[in-house]
Amino acid sequence: MSISQGQAAKTPPSSPAPSAPEPRPAPSGARKSRVGRYRFAILAVLFVSTAINYLDRSVLSIVAPDISRDLGISPEMMGWLFSGFAWTYALAQIPGGRLVDRFGPRVVYACALVAWSAMTALGSLAKGFGFLFGTRLGLGLFEAPAFPCNGRIAASWFPRGERGRAVAVYTSGQFIGLGVAFPLIAWMAAALGWRHVFWVLGGVGIAWALIWMKVIRNRPAEHAKVGEPELEHILQGEPARSADEGGEITTAAADDKGAFKRDMKFLLRQRRIWGVFLGQFAIASTLYFFLTWFPTYLANERGLTLDKGGLSGALPFVAALVGVLCGGSWSDWMVKRGISANIARKAPIVTGLGLAGVIVAANYVTSNAAMIAIMCVAFFANGLASFSWVLVTEIAPERMLGVAGGCFNVFGNLAGIVVPVVIGYLVGGSGSFTLPLMLIAGITVGGALSFLFLVDKVERIEA
C-alpha cells in the first residue's frame, strides 16, 4: 500500500476524499519514490560515539605499564583499578535504561558523554591509586546509559532486516577505535607521557557531544531530513517506539512506581532472557581481557612494550572489527533469505563463542607472531558474537527495551567486575598469564552453551 493510499484509508467515510497530505519536506533534490539514507548518518554518529566510549574506558589499560611504574601500583591493585569502571557501570545500567525510556536517548546520551569525558580528563591529575580509582568509578557511572541509548536508537531507526547489521556496525566502533588509536595512544604516551593521553581524549569527547545533539533525533519522524519513503521503509516489520525528548509519550507504566518491579520480575522469569544475559557475560569476559590486561600481557609476558608493541597490540582489535561486521552481516543475510530468526541470530553468536576458546593456545607457543595470530583469531571470534545486542531488541517486550537493555549490560559488566580482579590476583600470585587464558577459554565455551540451549526461540516475549 502506498503512503497516499494508507492516509486516504484513514479518512472518515463522511468526509470528502482529500488529496494526500503534503509530506514533510525531503532533502533538497531527493525524489519521493527513492528511499532516503539519513538513517545511515545516524548510524555513523553511533559508530563514532561508541569508539569514543571504548577509548575512554580502555585508555587506562593501554598506559597501565607506565602508570604501574610511575605510581607504584601492584598487579592486584591494577586489577581493582581495571574493575572500578565496571562496578558503577553495572550498577547504573538499570537506572540508565529507565532514563532512556523516560526522556529519550538524544539528551540522555549527550549529557552522559560530557560527564564521562570530564572523568577521563581528570585521570591526568592522578597522584595515586585513590584518585585514579575515583575517576574510574565516575567514568563507569556516566557511561552507563550509552548502550541502552544505542539499542533504542537502532530499534527506532532501522527495520528488522537491517537491524542486525546496524547493531554490528556501531558495535564495531569499539574495535576500530581501539585498533586505530592503540598505536597512536602508545606513541603519545611514550613521547609525551601518559597524563597527556587522558586530557586529550576527554576534550575530544566533550567536543563530540555537540555533533551528537545536532545530528541525532529520538525517532525518524522527528527529523526534517527523513522523507516519507525512508520513513515507510524504517517502519517495516516491528518498529520500536522511541521516547520523545520531553518524555511526553511515556506510558502510564513508566510513571507507575510499581512498574519497574513488575517488569524486573517478569524479565527474570524468562528462560531465554537468562540465556542472553549469561551468554553476554561470556562475550564480555573475553572483551574485558583485551580491554584491560592485554597490553600488560604483551609487555610483561611477551616483552612487547608500548613503543615496540603498539602495532601488534592493535591487530586483534582490527580482527574483532572484522568479526563483528561479519557476524551482523551474516545474520541479516540469513534473515533476508527466510531462514528462521532462531538460526539467523544465534548461529554467528554460538560459532563465535566456541571459536574464541582458541585463546588458550597462546599458552603453548613461544613465537610472538604466532601468539598475535592466535589472539587475532580469538578476538575475531568474540567480535562475531558481539552483535548479541540485537537479541535484546527482538526478544524483550517492546515497552521494556530500556530496562532489558540495562539488565543485559549489568550481566555483561559483571565480567568487567570479576575478570580483571581475578586475573590480577592470578598474575600477582603466579607471575604469568597461563591460568587467566585458561579461565577465559572455559567461560567462552560456557557462553556458547547458554545461547544454544537456554535461548529456545528468538521472538518477542509478550508481556
Side-chain angles (χ1 to χ4, degrees):
M1 178 182 292
S2 68
I3 291 292
S4 58
Q5 288 172 329
Q7 290 163 337
K10 296 177 185 177
T11 305
S14 58
S15 305
S19 60
E22 185 178 345
R24 292 176 292 103
S28 176
R31 295 179 306 199
K32 286 190 264 186
S33 61
R34 184 176 181 181
V35 174
R37 302 175 64 84
Y38 193 78
R39 63 193 183 282
F40 297 114
I42 298 292
L43 185 58
V45 173
L46 291 182
F47 173 86
V48 175
S49 301
T50 302
I52 292 172
N53 181 290
Y54 269 78
L55 278 174
D56 287 348
R57 72 173 71 178
S58 305
V59 62
L60 175 65
S61 69
I62 299 175
V63 297
D66 287 347
I67 291 178
S68 296
R69 182 181 61 251
D70 291 352
L71 303 183
I73 296 176
S74 68
E76 292 85 352
M77 289 297 98
M78 185 57 71
W80 285 102
L81 275 179
F82 286 149
S83 76
F85 165 87
W87 282 96
T88 49
Y89 188 74
L91 289 172
Q93 281 301 306
I94 295 173
R98 295 295 285 180
L99 285 174
V100 175
D101 284 344
R102 176 126 189 174
F103 300 108
R106 181 174 179 248
V107 172
V108 171
Y109 199 110
C111 293
L113 178 53
V114 171
W116 92 58
S117 298
M119 289 293 108
T120 300
L122 284 173
S124 65
L125 305 177
K127 302 289 186 183
F129 174 87
F131 186 90
L132 196 53
F133 189 71
T135 64
R136 297 295 293 179
L137 292 174
L139 182 68
L141 176 66
F142 294 120
E143 282 201 6
F147 269 79
C149 284
N150 289 349
R152 172 66 73 172
I153 291 173
S156 298
W157 277 85
F158 288 88
R160 190 178 190 191
E162 297 177 359
R163 204 174 297 157
R165 188 175 302 172
V167 172
V169 167
Y170 76 67
T171 301
S172 72
Q174 66 195 39
F175 303 120
I176 196 169
L178 289 166
V180 171
F182 196 113
L184 179 61
I185 290 174
W187 170 83
M188 186 186 304
L192 304 175
W194 59 267
R195 297 183 188 276
H196 286 76
V197 175
F198 284 94
W199 66 257
V200 168
L201 288 180
V204 168
I206 292 171
W208 184 254
L210 300 176
I211 297 175
W212 172 277
M213 287 297 292
K214 181 174 179 60
V215 176
I216 295 293
R217 296 295 183 273
N218 291 328
R219 298 185 301 174
E222 296 174 1
H223 211 301
K225 290 188 177 181
V226 178
E228 293 294 341
E230 183 173 16
L231 186 59
E232 183 182 48
H233 175 76
I234 290 170
L235 294 179
Q236 297 177 57
E238 295 181 339
R241 295 172 184 261
S242 172
D244 283 343
E245 294 172 310
E248 64 189 38
I249 66 165
T250 53
T251 64
D255 294 323
D256 182 355
K257 292 182 179 180
F260 173 71
K261 291 182 179 180
R262 290 196 298 272
D263 289 351
M264 286 294 298
K265 287 180 180 179
F266 178 84
L267 288 173
L268 295 181
R269 286 196 301 265
Q270 308 305 314
R271 170 181 165 178
R272 71 186 69 155
I273 290 289
W274 274 104
V276 173
F277 290 170
L278 294 175
Q280 179 62 12
F281 179 92
I283 294 171
S285 294
T286 302
L287 175 63
Y288 269 103
F289 168 74
F290 280 95
L291 295 183
T292 58
W293 282 105
F294 181 58
T296 301
Y297 168 79
L298 294 180
N300 295 355
E301 188 95 348
R302 296 289 181 164
L304 296 173
T305 55
L306 279 178
D307 54 338
K308 297 178 181 178
L311 182 58
S312 298
L315 292 177
F317 293 101
V318 175
L321 164 67
V322 176
V324 75
L325 292 176
C326 288
S329 297
W330 179 19
S331 178
D332 279 355
W333 180 85
M334 288 188 281
V335 168
K336 290 179 179 179
R337 278 153 184 78
I339 297 174
S340 72
N342 199 46
I343 295 174
R345 295 311 193 199
K346 286 167 57 177
I349 297 172
V350 173
T351 301
L353 278 168
L355 183 58
V358 76
I359 194 172
V360 74
N363 285 334
Y364 306 103
V365 299
T366 56
S367 164
N368 282 339
M371 176 273 296
I372 290 295
I374 289 168
M375 292 297 178
C376 286
V377 172
F379 213 16
F380 164 85
N382 193 72
L384 198 67
S386 292
F387 81 109
S388 53
W389 254 104
V390 75
L391 291 181
V392 178
T393 69
E394 297 199 0
I395 288 177
E398 183 177 313
R399 68 178 178 84
M400 300 180 194
L401 279 175
V403 175
C407 292
F408 176 83
N409 257 352
V410 167
F411 278 84
N413 284 281
L414 286 176
I417 295 171
V418 174
V419 169
V421 173
V422 171
I423 290 178
Y425 280 96
L426 291 175
V427 171
S430 67
S432 79
F433 280 82
T434 300
L435 290 176
L437 295 185
M438 294 174 66
L439 173 67
I440 297 300
I443 291 173
T444 60
V445 173
L449 296 175
S450 178
F451 277 113
L452 191 60
F453 294 110
L454 293 182
V455 183
D456 56 341
K457 296 179 181 179
V458 180
E459 62 183 33
R460 192 170 305 284
I461 297 170
E462 297 297 330

